[in-house]
């Protein structure tokens, strides 16, 4: 029996100092990215407004429309609470409600009472069925349709003057024959004008897209925006928010039942379903993308191979006889004579098959191995089968005897 030896080696585990030297570059780079992201977010936090905000110059903002209105002599006031909006409403005021679906039922009822008494113009952007039923009783909503350039198809002067505009979204119908329906999408209007007391009226818009900075210069969007929002000398641009202290209705929650929520930082409510990513400021998305790219590059850098793999040698040398004795002791402690006998027989069959000209694949097949071995020995077929493929020994003495008989059979085959 041969002895397996290998030179002993000391442990190659890296020390804490080595680990720090390897990781400090990555940690410093990560720290710089975090500091840069926080600084960038802090710098932009004071000027980052939401969708439909008249102070926002982003693609979805409405600063362009607000500036055009100011240039025509219209005063534009931003209201972020219901108290500010209802207080400013009056006969010479247009009240633009960008997110009626964000209001609670109690807020919607209060807003309807204030606008009805003001005899001014109220413009509602994308109210769903529940919000429309409280802010403009009797109006029914139809399913949303994609926004596209649509002709006015009505006699409303502002719409006829503007011509084709980017409309669509939520569509509205009213049982009142005095209502004016414009910009039909699939036969149902996406702009509805309801006459009120005196010169007051309520305008329902299915989509706010024509007010966005990115679309204001397309089609007749700018003309429609100026005429709808500039019919009175004062414009109150109301941006509902969930943080409004007046949002304390009977259920204390926004009216989302059957409505499609508007989203954004106090600004957007278009009747369209808002994607989750639309609610995240663009700076954070860009920062997350940068961090992800940095993480991928760092993983590629740290995971690269610097050369061929190093084969690790055994740290200690163990004599083959000691290994055999240790395994035998485990078999004996577990009383595993069957396992020990099978190991002895399998090893003997492998060696004898090579001597008898049997392939390694067929060394453990009795129909092939036994005829080849019996031709080289004087042992009868039954005894040979019992010896190489028989049952487990009944006791330790029988196990020792089996080992001796296997050694004798191997010697006989080798010398035959």
């Amino acid at each position: 029996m041969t002895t397996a030896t290998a030179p002993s080696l000391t442990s190659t585990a890296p020390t804490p100092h080595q680990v720090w030297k390897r990781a400090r570059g990555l940690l410093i780079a990560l720290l710089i990215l975090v500091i840069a992201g926080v600084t960038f977010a802090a710098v932009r936090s004071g000027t980052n407004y939401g969708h439909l905000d008249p102070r926002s110059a982003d693609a979805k903002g409405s600063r362009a429309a607000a500036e055009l209105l100011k240039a025509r002599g219209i005063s534009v006031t931003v209201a972020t609470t219901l108290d500010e909006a209802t207080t400013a409403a009056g006969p010479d005021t247009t009240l633009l409600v960008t997110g009626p679906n964000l209001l609670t039922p109690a807020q919607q009822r209060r807003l309807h009472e204030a606008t009805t008494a003001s005899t001014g113009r109220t413009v509602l952007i994308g109210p769903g069925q529940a919000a429309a039923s409280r802010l403009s009783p009797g109006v029914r909503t139809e399913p949303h349709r994609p926004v596209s350039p649509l002709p006015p198809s009505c006699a409303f002067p502002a719409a006829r003057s503007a011509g084709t505009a980017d409309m669509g979204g939520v569509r509205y119908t009213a049982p009142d024959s005095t209502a004016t329906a414009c910009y039909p999408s699939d036969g149902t209007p996406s702009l509805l004008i309801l006459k009120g007391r005196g010169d007051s009226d309520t305008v329902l818009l299915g989509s706010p897209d024509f007010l966005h900075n990115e679309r204001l210069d397309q089609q007749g969007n700018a003309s429609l925006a100026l005429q709808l929002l500039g019919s009175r000398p004062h414009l109150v641009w109301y941006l509902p928010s969930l943080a409004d202290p007046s949002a304390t209705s009977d259920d204390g929650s926004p009216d989302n039942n059957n409505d499609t929520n508007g989203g954004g930082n106090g600004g957007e409510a278009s009747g369209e379903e808002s994607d989750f990513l639309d609610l995240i400021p663009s700076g954070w998305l860009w920062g997350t993308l940068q961090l992800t790219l940095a993480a991928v590059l760092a993983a590629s850098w740290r995971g690269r191979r610097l050369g061929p793999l190093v084969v690790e040698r055994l740290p200690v040398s163990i004599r083959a006889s000691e290994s055999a004795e240790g395994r035998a002791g485990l078999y004996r402690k577990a009383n595993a004579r069957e396992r020990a006998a099978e190991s002895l027989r399998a090893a003997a069959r492998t060696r004898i098959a090579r001597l008898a000209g049997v392939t390694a694949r067929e060394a453990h097949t009795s129909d092939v191995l036994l005829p080849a071995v019996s031709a080289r020995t004087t042992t009868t077929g039954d005894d040979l089968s019992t010896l190489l493929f028989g049952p487990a020994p009944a006791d330790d003495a029988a196990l020792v005897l089996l080992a001796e008989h296997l050694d004798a059979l191997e010697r006989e085959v080798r010398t035959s």
Side-chain angles (χ1 to χ4, degrees), residues 96-174:
L96 172 64
V97 184
T98 61
N101 297 326
L102 289 177
L103 301 174
T104 64
Q107 287 178 308
Q108 291 170 354
R109 287 189 288 268
R110 179 182 167 190
L111 178 63
H112 177 60
E113 293 174 359
T115 55
T116 301
S118 70
T119 66
R121 167 169 286 182
T122 304
V123 180
L124 306 174
I125 297 183
Q129 180 58 59
S133 65
R134 298 187 185 98
L135 296 173
S136 51
V139 173
R140 298 186 57 83
T141 62
E142 297 294 335
H144 176 274
R145 287 293 182 270
V147 174
S148 62
L150 297 175
S153 302
C154 67
F156 185 51
R160 290 180 62 86
S161 176
T164 301
D166 290 330
M167 297 296 292
V170 184
R171 299 168 301 158
Y172 303 97
T173 58

Side-chain angles (χ1 to χ4, degrees), residues 243-259:
D244 189 346
S246 66
T248 54
S249 62
D250 49 352
D251 58 358
S253 60
D255 182 19
N256 298 330
N257 192 18
N258 295 327
D259 283 3

Side-chain angles (χ1 to χ4, degrees), residues 401-413:
L401 185 60
L402 172 64
E404 294 175 353
H405 287 171
L406 290 173
D407 287 341
L409 177 62
E410 183 179 350
R411 286 194 301 270
E412 184 178 359
V413 173

